[in-house]
Amino acid sequence: MRILLVEDDRMIGDAIQIALKDASYAVDWVRDGSTATSVLDGNEHQAVLLDLGLPKRDGLEVLRLLRSKGNGIPVIILTARDAVEDRIRGLDLGADDYLVKPFDMNELLARLRAIIRRKGGQSSPLLTNGKVNLNPATREASRGDASHLLSSREFSLLHALMLQPGSILTRAELEERIYGWNEEVESNAVDFLIHGIRKKLGADAIRNIRGAGWMVDKS
Ligand code: CA
């Protein structure tokens, strides 16, 4: 699980980064809103911690842009104690939760676990459906005793499915989670990746629902 931290205050950012790393998250830290927007377009992260008072582009505008692009990544906004209007605006713009500064790092971690759980329906860092196990920290997928390192895009595709076992994802939904906004998507890219994953994990690791899309079984 990889987190994007958007915070221009060095002390607060340092403290959050340390807490996240201690909790085994991978963390990327950017310090202005304009960089945050470009990084988020890469779809590399699974959640965002977003300060609102930022140089170049404020956090609410980052959030508005993010949601207008159809990016549903979980977002927790970080606000000042007296900024009630900003919290309301942030939630209305599509933030999933907020924290009021100064906050306890344990509360931050608990809220992060909660939004990821709500988003994916699973709370364990090791995603499993009883057949396939996926470790988001190492991109390792295993089945039985056999462990396989997935390519970046194989991982992204399988991760998207494993966050919602039993739910069908369409070709468009899978492409949206694997590719950034400006990347060219080959028409058979999804089939190619699924073929690669099945070669490693077995043909029944991912099921094709004819005319609808793909899913992994629910345990
Ligand atoms: Ca700030």
Side-chain angles (χ1 to χ4, degrees):
M1 188 68 62
R2 191 164 160 198
I3 310 296
L4 181 67
L5 169 62
V6 189
E7 171 61 77
D8 63 319
D9 184 297
R10 182 180 296 227
M11 275 178 61
I12 296 172
D14 263 336
I16 294 173
Q17 191 176 41
I18 290 165
L20 290 174
K21 285 185 173 169
D22 282 351
S24 299
Y25 290 99
V27 191
D28 293 313
W29 178 11
V30 299
R31 292 161 175 80
D32 71 79
S34 153
T35 307
T37 296
S38 7
V39 170
L40 285 164
D41 280 351
N43 289 321
E44 295 170 298
H45 301 87
Q46 280 78 54
V48 187
L49 300 173
L50 181 63
D51 179 35
L52 294 187
L54 291 167
K56 293 186 185 172
R57 177 175 290 153
D58 75 36
L60 289 174
E61 181 61 10
V62 172
L63 181 60
R64 192 191 64 73
L65 279 167
L66 184 70
R67 296 307 191 220
S68 77
K69 290 170 182 169
N71 192 329
I73 186 170
V75 176
I76 298 179
I77 54 176
L78 312 174
T79 78
R81 184 164 298 283
D82 55 359
V84 181
E85 290 301 324
D86 282 351
R87 293 202 284 281
I88 294 168
R89 184 98 200 287
L91 290 169
D92 284 341
L93 281 172
D96 297 273
D97 202 355
Y98 66 86
L99 275 162
V100 176
K101 295 176 184 177
F103 47 80
D104 186 287
M105 290 303 159
N106 287 322
E107 182 178 5
L108 167 66
L109 294 172
R111 285 179 185 269
L112 200 48
R113 285 193 296 273
I115 60 164
I116 291 163
R117 189 164 58 234
R118 284 203 297 269
K119 194 80 188 175
Q122 292 194 26
S123 57
S124 166
L126 185 69
L127 299 174
T128 183
N129 67 344
K131 191 183 283 178
V132 170
N133 307 304
L134 184 66
N135 186 337
T138 62
R139 284 188 187 155
E140 232 174 343
S142 64
R143 183 164 188 183
D145 293 332
S147 192
H148 305 272
L149 201 56
L150 300 179
S151 76
S152 170
R153 284 185 172 147
E154 284 173 349
F155 168 78
S156 300
L157 189 151
L158 187 58
H159 190 220
L161 292 171
M162 292 290 290
L163 282 170
Q164 298 170 267
S167 300
I168 298 167
L169 292 180
T170 65
R171 182 181 299 273
E173 285 167 338
L174 287 170
E175 286 173 352
E176 190 184 85
R177 290 174 203 209
I178 299 167
Y179 293 94
W181 287 100
N182 299 318
E183 288 177 293
E184 185 119 357
V185 184
E186 301 280 341
S187 62
N188 62 349
V190 166
D191 308 271
F192 182 76
L193 292 170
I194 286 173
H195 178 73
I197 296 166
R198 283 174 168 163
K199 259 174 82 175
K200 292 172 183 169
L201 296 170
D204 62 342
I206 296 176
R207 286 174 54 197
N208 177 227
I209 310 301
R210 201 166 289 276
W214 292 268
M215 62 176 273
V216 295
D217 285 328
K218 198 171 179 147
S219 55

